[in-house]
Amino acid sequence: MPTVIHILEFCPFAHNFIGKWAKGSRFPPATTERIRFMKYLDIEFDYINKPSLEPEFIPFGVWADAYLAAADRPFEVAVERDNGNISVFSSFLREESYEAANYRYMERFIKFLLWSVGGWKITICGCEETAAKLQDAYREGGSREFDVHFADDVFERGLLVEITDKEHFPKANEHPRPVGGHLNGCRIGFDAGGSDRKVSAVIDGTSVYSEEVEWFPKLSEDLSYQYNGIVEAFKTAASKMPRVDAIGISSAGTFVGNSPMVCSLFIKIPRSQREEVKTIYDRAAKEIGDVPVVVANDGDVTALAGAMSLGSGSVMGIAMGTSEAAGYVDAQGRILGWYNELAFAPVDLNEDATVDEWSTDRGVGCKYFSQDAVIKLAPRAGIELDESLSLAQKLKEVQKLAEAGHEGAREIFVNIGVYLAHTLSLYARIYDLKYLLVLGRVASGIGGDLLIEECNRILKEEYPELYDRIKVMLPDEKARRVGQSIAAASLPEA
């Protein structure tokens, strides 16, 4: 067996708030012995803990460590988003004889940046021959056409990939936005979900009224359905207070300012009504009065709720439900203005990994940290699910089996914990993390306990520096008391 070498080196993914990064009896039994080296695109790599139900899993972060160990040709990437905000990252490629590995690394690296940071313009300096191939992929009609269209929807301009020299390479221009934690006065907090909407009336940080109403915005082609539902919730909360000083809104979607640019809640609304969709929350708030309004992605508000309950920043929240939803607040409790759409960020380099139906890409987060992951692994765990059941019902069936002690069902959640540990080593390259809160229906019950336990076990064994630095946890009772709608109420200053 080859000698194992542990590498500690500067993280080429990281920008200014990260320094160094360390690499470091079940069904069927998970090995705690070093596995034989694997090879992908002529790069040998190894890791200790493989998912027992998907041993062909190639963690991007693990493979990247091995690839970068002999990479010495530098390149830089600038990602520009709205209002001239620019994030800059640096990394390396190997010598030109590793052509396939070089392209795979650069393309997955930039794909990861596109869905974590997000932007409409990618500028690359260095390694021009590989960058040119990537330029061809990220264009109308290219292999990454979905990413191009998404950027166009968010920023209303096509995704542009440019190659430049050092003299013309842009400088970083970051403007994190302080939000949340404002609890003074009479506030409305609204949480717009895909199957229910929640609203709270909050006076000086105390909820005096909360309600949860079932609704189905994803099915409506009539925008008045969503608009009237939002206004009704606002008016209900307003009626419970002597006045309204501010309105904070947590919503699924990708936002520029308060405008939902891509949002599943309005997925069936005709494109001809796009301008009405973009102003829906501001218009609804006007029905209450001329008060400060702040809209934030629900993932970021989840992270904010965690930060408020923990009394600490550097918090990421990941909700494992219909898809993977993520959010982040930095050490100062600020939102970075990033996409945080980790559902489409690469996790697994296996070229036969499950295809995401929407983005048409393989090995992305939504297939590892959602109900899709549970359903994908069920046959491998010896579980046959009735095809007539909905995805949510299939998840519940597996959860019932796990609660009853079914060994295969429990191993599914253990495997998700394996995915999470190896992927967290990737997320920690660009997010400064102290806490990771895992939420969502996949993490409820015994399944959540199993995946958290396994994730922490692997971090301790394979990524000890991350284990010492990051606490991976389910939300405690204090975090649940803060709640999404109450955290949303704290968004605006008043």
Side-chain angles (χ1 to χ4, degrees):
M1 183 175 292
T3 303
V4 176
I5 301 174
H6 294 273
I7 301 168
L8 183 65
E9 62 177 41
F10 177 75
C11 169
F13 277 27
H15 51 69
N16 57 8
F17 55 59
I18 300 179
K20 295 190 175 186
W21 181 80
K23 174 184 178 297
S25 56
R26 279 183 282 274
F27 171 88
T31 179
T32 56
E33 298 180 1
R34 176 68 64 178
I35 66 170
R36 293 188 63 83
F37 275 86
M38 301 169 69
K39 182 182 281 191
Y40 174 63
L41 298 180
D42 292 325
I43 307 298
E44 287 191 340
F45 65 99
D46 71 320
Y47 64 110
I48 300 171
N49 295 278
K50 299 172 72 175
S52 58
L53 299 175
E54 193 173 12
E56 64 272 28
F57 177 64
I58 303 176
F60 180 27
V62 172
W63 182 85
D65 269 344
Y67 171 87
L68 290 166
D72 58 4
R73 294 194 296 143
F75 69 95
E76 290 184 288
V77 179
V79 185
E80 183 172 348
R81 48 196 187 277
D82 57 309
N83 299 319
N85 286 288
I86 300 173
S87 300
V88 173
F89 304 83
S90 61
S91 195
F92 300 84
L93 293 187
R94 286 198 173 201
E95 63 183 62
E96 293 179 2
S97 62
Y98 286 90
E99 181 179 0
N102 287 341
Y103 178 73
R104 184 67 162 162
Y105 174 73
M106 181 184 276
E107 193 277 323
R108 293 288 86 181
F109 172 37
I110 288 177
K111 171 90 174 187
F112 182 69
L113 296 181
L114 269 177
W115 291 103
S116 52
V117 178
W120 65 271
K121 185 178 181 181
I122 302 293
T123 305
I124 306 171
C125 177
C127 303
E128 290 82 0
E129 70 292 339
T130 305
K133 294 179 183 177
L134 189 132
Q135 198 174 37
D136 185 61
Y138 287 88
R139 61 174 177 81
E140 188 78 30
S143 59
R144 296 288 167 249
E145 189 173 37
F146 171 83
D147 308 66
V148 174
H149 289 166
F150 194 96
D152 190 39
D153 279 343
V154 173
F155 301 105
E156 299 183 322
R157 60 177 86 184
L159 180 66
L160 180 63
V161 179
E162 287 190 348
I163 301 171
T164 191
D165 55 26
K166 280 190 172 294
E167 182 182 352
H168 298 96
F169 187 76
K171 294 181 179 179
N173 185 34
E174 302 272 10
H175 295 95
R177 181 163 55 114
V179 295
H182 308 295
L183 297 172
N184 58 304
C186 299
R187 297 167 170 270
I188 295 173
F190 180 66
D191 177 29
S195 56
D196 55 59
R197 63 176 197 258
K198 306 177 187 72
V199 71
S200 295
V202 181
I203 300 178
D204 293 328
T206 300
S207 174
V208 298
Y209 177 80
S210 290
E211 72 171 19
E212 182 173 322
V213 176
E214 190 177 66
W215 75 334
F216 304 99
K218 295 180 181 180
L219 302 180
S220 176
E221 298 177 8
D222 180 0
L223 188 59
S224 65
Y225 174 84
Q226 289 92 331
Y227 182 80
N228 291 337
I230 295 165
V231 171
E232 180 184 348
F234 288 178
K235 288 184 174 180
T236 300
S239 72
K240 309 299 179 181
M241 300 182 291
R243 65 184 189 277
V244 175
D245 298 317
I247 300 173
I249 299 164
S250 165
S251 174
T254 303
F255 294 83
V256 172
N258 286 346
S259 298
M261 307 303 285
V262 179
C263 183
S264 60
L265 304 182
F266 312 107
I267 194 167
K268 291 204 170 182
I269 302 302
R271 197 166 183 85
S272 61
Q273 292 183 266
R274 179 171 171 81
E275 292 305 313
E276 293 175 72
V277 170
K278 286 164 59 178
T279 60
I280 190 168
Y281 290 122
D282 286 332
R283 288 186 293 111
K286 288 291 185 185
E287 300 252 4
I288 304 302
D290 188 16
V291 297
V293 181
V294 173
V295 185
N297 170 266
D298 54 357
D300 284 338
V301 178
T302 295
L304 174 63
M308 290 169 65
S309 68
L310 293 165
S312 172
S314 299
V315 177
M316 175 178 278
I318 292 180
M320 302 183 187
T322 305
S323 183
E324 176 190 8
Y328 175 75
V329 295
D330 72 6
Q332 289 75 48
R334 302 172 301 182
I335 291 174
L336 301 180
W338 291 6
Y339 271 8
N340 300 319
E341 292 283 359
L342 299 180
F344 301 122
V347 167
D348 181 6
L349 296 185
N350 174 22
E351 295 180 20
D352 293 319
T354 306
V355 175
D356 168 45
E357 299 84 357
W358 191 13
S359 69
T360 70
D361 203 354
R362 294 181 183 270
V364 294
C366 60
K367 293 300 180 183
Y368 297 80
F369 306 116
S370 72
Q371 63 191 15
D372 285 2
V374 176
I375 295 162
K376 172 185 75 173
L377 293 176
R380 296 186 178 210
I383 299 170
E384 291 186 16
L385 295 169
D386 185 342
E387 288 303 315
S388 68
L389 297 176
S390 69
L391 297 180
Q393 289 170 330
K394 289 178 179 179
L395 170 63
K396 286 180 181 179
E397 288 300 307
V398 176
Q399 288 174 322
K400 287 178 186 176
L401 290 171
E403 295 288 348
H406 187 287
E407 199 172 2
R410 291 189 171 212
E411 190 64 13
I412 288 172
F413 296 100
V414 169
N415 273 241
I416 295 173
V418 178
Y419 298 147
L420 183 60
H422 293 303
T423 303
L424 184 56
S425 76
L426 181 65
Y427 293 169
R429 293 168 182 255
I430 69 165
Y431 294 96
D432 178 25
L433 298 175
K434 287 177 65 178
Y435 294 95
L436 175 68
L437 293 177
V438 180
L439 311 96
R441 62 175 69 100
V442 172
S444 63
I446 189 67
D449 294 333
L450 289 168
L451 76 87
I452 294 295
E453 179 183 359
E454 183 69 356
C455 176
N456 281 319
R457 184 189 72 77
I458 294 172
L459 289 177
K460 186 175 183 179
E461 183 175 1
E462 296 202 54
Y463 310 97
E465 188 174 282
L466 293 183
Y467 179 78
D468 291 340
R469 178 160 63 90
I470 304 170
K471 184 171 184 180
V472 181
M473 58 190 288
L474 299 169
D476 59 17
E477 188 55 38
K478 186 176 180 182
R480 290 189 175 95
R481 284 199 302 272
V482 169
Q484 193 86 351
S485 57
I486 297 175
S490 80
L491 288 170
E493 287 190 70

